[in-house]
Each structure stands twice: as C-alpha cells, then as structure tokens.
Amino acid sequence: MRVLGIETSCDETGVAIYDSEGGLLGHAVFSQVDLHAEYGGVVPELASRDHVRKLLPLVRQVMAQTETTPADLDGIAYTAGPGLVGALMVGACAGRALAYAWKLPAIAVHHMEGHLLAPMLEEKPPAFPFVALLVSGGHTQLVDVRGLGDYALLGESLDDAAGEAFDKAAKMLDLDYPGGPRLAALAEKGDPQRFTFPRPMTDRPGLDFSFSGLKTYTLTTVREHALEDGLPDEQTCADIAAAFQEAVVDTLVIKCRRAIQASGHRTLVIAGGVSANKLLRERLEARLAEEGASVYYPRHEFCTDNGAMIAYAGYLRLQAGERTGLAVDVRPRWPMTELSGSDIRNGSGNGDKDHNGSLA
C-alpha cells in the first residue's frame, strides 16, 4: 500500500509518500519560520495563505522525486486536527479533492497521533504497549499507548505546555523566533547551577504538568538582573536559559519515571518538537535506564511537523479498513482519547469503516 501524506496544521507544509514495502519513499517540508519571524510568532492568516501557495508544488515535487503517479497511490492521508483551523482547512480540502479526483480513499489523521507514531519510521521502532510523552506546540501529554487508537491520557499540562514555556522564556531573553531551539542553544553557554528554578508539581503525586509558575519565576529573575537596556548581561542570560532548561527537563523526566512505574511498561516514546532537545534525550535515557526502560524518539527532522508521520499514520488507518467520507471536517481541538482503536495492532484489518468506526 502506498499513501500520500499531507500536513498543514500550523507553520510547516509537509508532504510525504509512505509505502508498506519500501518504507518512506520521500518527503519534503517547507518551513514558514522566516515568514513569521518578524512577528515573533505564528500569524494564522499568513500561515494559511502560505500553505495554499506551497502545498500543491510540494505534492508535485515529492511525487516526481519518488516517481509516483496517481495510479500508484492507494490512499491519501491529511491532518484534520488539532491545529489552526485555516491551516487545517488547506490541507484537508486539498487532500480530499485529490482523493476524489484520483478515485482514492482518504483518511483524516490526528496530528498528535502522527507525532506519537513518528518513531515507528526508524530502523528500530518501538513495539506496543508503551508510554508516550508528547511535547509538541501547545501540547504536553503523557499517554498510555496500548495499540493504534487505544490511548489513555495519564497526565497533561494544566496551563502552558513545555514548548510554549520555552518560547515565552526565549522572548523574555529577547531571542529571535523560533525561541525554543535558540534558548536551548544559549543554555549550552550557561551555568545551570547559578540559579535554582522550581520544578513545578513534582512535590505532589500525579502526572499533570504546569509551567506557568516557572514562566513567572523566569520573568522575575530576568527583571532582577536587568541592566539599563532591560536585559541582564550576556552571561547572565545564558545562565538563566540553562537554569530554565534544567527545570523543564527535570520536570519532564520526573513525570516520565512516574508514568513508567505506574503503567508497568518498559518503553517510553517521546515525540514532538521538544523531543529534539539534546539534554532531555540524555536525561531520559539515563534515568529510565535505572527503571530498566528504553527510550525511543524520531530523528530530528521528524520531531517537528512533517508529512512522513501523517503518511505513516494514514497508512495504518487505511490498512485497517478505515475511510473518511466526502465531507471536509477539521477539528482545531481534538482530544486524542476520542480516536477509535483498530485491529491493526493485532496484525489484521477490521473491514471497511469510516473514521468514527461505523460500517460504511
């Protein structure tokens, strides 16, 4: 089975083709970072317009690179949520229209399920069941993953997600957009021992997160050490960045250890933009090894939004017999626990079903 995947949930336009026998045949991503940089964040209307400009040329590019014709495809997968509604509509309309024109089945894919499954594209993929830490954009979640679509939410952020906290802390230090990676780079020059930042909600039971207090603590520290221009000196900025990163990483690691202990699973999957953080990967591998657990994550290019993860997730859903109807329906907010399970986890399909699990 060969599937075209389309991702347009935010500020990356991603297209990929996944083949059940050949694996990932090709993919391309166009980032809108330069477009949004002058505004210090994503402008939804500009994001939607740029997807309109870039999507179909990327589809043509990837199909040419992989020598794929419409006749070679067995289905089209597109992101239907969560995300920016205008951006989602671009990919959903294009994906559904191409599927209709080429007489192919289409499948609406959950963006976070795509991230969750991204490590499956690696040479040594994880096996169900496992605990997943999803740290992408506005999401920080711990999920008990028993199979495709069989998810139980263990904990989530009650306010700012980890990625949002990184971006906001970066703005406090006057770092350019995108702030998260730039703060991580600055932290490498800092002394993480100079300041001691709080580890939110680690002094009580549970697996929920909260980063708003850490954000406030960071702002207070910046103001206390600010010079006449409103910022601390260069080394102090680096030290604050290092202390902030340590606090976020420690918090995530503590919660992941608790989730592994509570679930009884011996595998952790981490996915989403923050999963590219070098310190987080090192700490998780070291601390979870003490629990006898292994850590899996996607390669760096698949940590951020991409079409490959959507093509793969779509392939699994299509192989299980699921289909999405002709109506174009996107969901800016879409709890992953509302997704239906599938017999694909047992190695077999479950007949032709629509995306809600009812017989088509």
Side-chain angles (χ1 to χ4, degrees):
M1 177 179 284
R2 186 172 292 193
V3 178
L4 172 70
I6 293 172
E7 156 61 27
T8 63
S9 66
C10 190
D11 60 341
E12 273 105 10
T13 310
V15 175
I17 294 178
Y18 180 84
D19 187 271
S20 56
E21 295 184 3
L24 183 63
L25 301 183
H27 74 100
V29 176
F30 179 83
S31 174
Q32 299 177 3
V33 166
D34 292 341
L35 175 65
H36 301 289
E38 65 177 296
Y39 303 99
V42 178
V43 181
E45 179 63 23
L46 295 182
S48 302
R49 293 180 183 185
D50 210 51
H51 286 310
V52 171
R53 285 191 289 266
K54 299 298 192 303
L55 180 55
L56 289 182
L58 276 184
V59 170
R60 296 188 191 99
Q61 175 186 325
V62 172
M63 291 187 70
Q65 286 176 348
T66 59
E67 298 181 347
T68 297
T69 67
D72 297 322
L73 292 172
D74 299 290
I76 295 178
Y78 58 86
T79 303
L84 302 175
V85 62
L88 290 169
M89 283 297 294
V90 175
C93 288
R96 199 64 204 76
L98 289 175
Y100 183 80
W102 294 342
K103 297 180 173 58
L104 297 171
I107 189 73
V109 173
H110 192 289
H111 179 74
M112 297 307 293
E113 182 173 64
H115 276 301
L116 185 151
L117 296 171
M120 302 288 192
L121 291 165
E122 302 306 314
E123 255 184 62
K124 296 181 179 179
F128 299 125
F130 53 78
V131 171
L133 171 65
L134 301 178
V135 276
S136 171
H139 299 83
T140 298
Q141 299 176 326
L142 279 166
V143 183
D144 185 349
V145 180
R146 294 180 286 268
L148 181 68
D150 191 356
Y151 311 130
L153 184 65
L154 301 174
E156 62 183 339
S157 180
L158 304 179
D159 39 59
D160 288 353
E164 290 174 322
F166 262 99
D167 289 340
K168 290 176 181 178
K171 281 189 177 181
M172 297 172 197
L173 296 171
D174 199 30
L175 299 177
D176 293 334
Y177 174 84
R182 297 184 188 280
L183 186 143
L186 179 62
E188 293 185 2
K189 304 174 184 177
D191 176 8
Q193 306 303 319
R194 179 177 172 185
F195 300 105
T196 302
F197 282 21
R199 274 60 172 165
M201 296 184 70
T202 58
D203 59 348
R204 68 195 77 172
L207 296 172
D208 286 330
F209 303 89
S210 172
F211 294 105
S212 62
L214 179 59
K215 177 188 67 177
T216 302
Y217 194 95
T218 304
L219 180 59
T220 300
T221 306
V222 170
R223 287 175 174 172
E224 286 178 349
H225 294 82
L227 303 176
E228 291 183 0
D229 63 355
L231 284 174
D233 63 73
E234 187 174 340
Q235 185 57 52
T236 299
C237 285
D239 294 342
I240 291 173
F244 173 85
Q245 179 176 245
E246 286 277 336
V248 174
V249 167
D250 278 355
T251 300
L252 294 174
V253 171
I254 289 168
K255 299 288 185 171
C256 285
R257 289 187 70 178
R258 288 183 186 176
I260 286 290
Q261 292 166 353
S263 69
H265 301 325
R266 300 270 70 88
T267 301
L268 174 79
V269 163
I270 173 175
V274 182
S275 70
N277 185 279
K278 179 182 176 182
L279 182 64
L280 179 59
R281 292 189 177 200
E282 291 175 352
R283 292 280 174 83
L284 280 174
E285 289 181 355
R287 300 290 170 80
L288 292 188
E290 299 171 5
E291 303 290 334
S294 301
V295 182
Y296 292 81
Y297 36 73
R299 69 196 80 166
H300 281 267
E301 63 187 315
F302 294 155
C303 290
T304 52
D305 297 347
N306 62 87
M309 66 184 192
I310 303 304
Y312 181 72
Y315 151 69
L316 292 180
R317 291 281 179 180
L318 288 167
Q319 185 189 41
E322 296 187 19
R323 304 288 186 268
T324 298
L326 288 174
V328 177
D329 183 22
V330 298
R331 297 183 60 180
R333 295 183 183 275
W334 188 5
M336 198 164 63
T337 50
E338 292 183 4
L339 291 174
S340 61
S342 171
D343 291 340
I344 189 65
R345 60 182 180 275
N346 298 320
S348 62
N350 59 355
D352 286 339
K353 299 197 305 182
D354 68 18
H355 205 54
N356 295 317
S358 59
L359 292 176

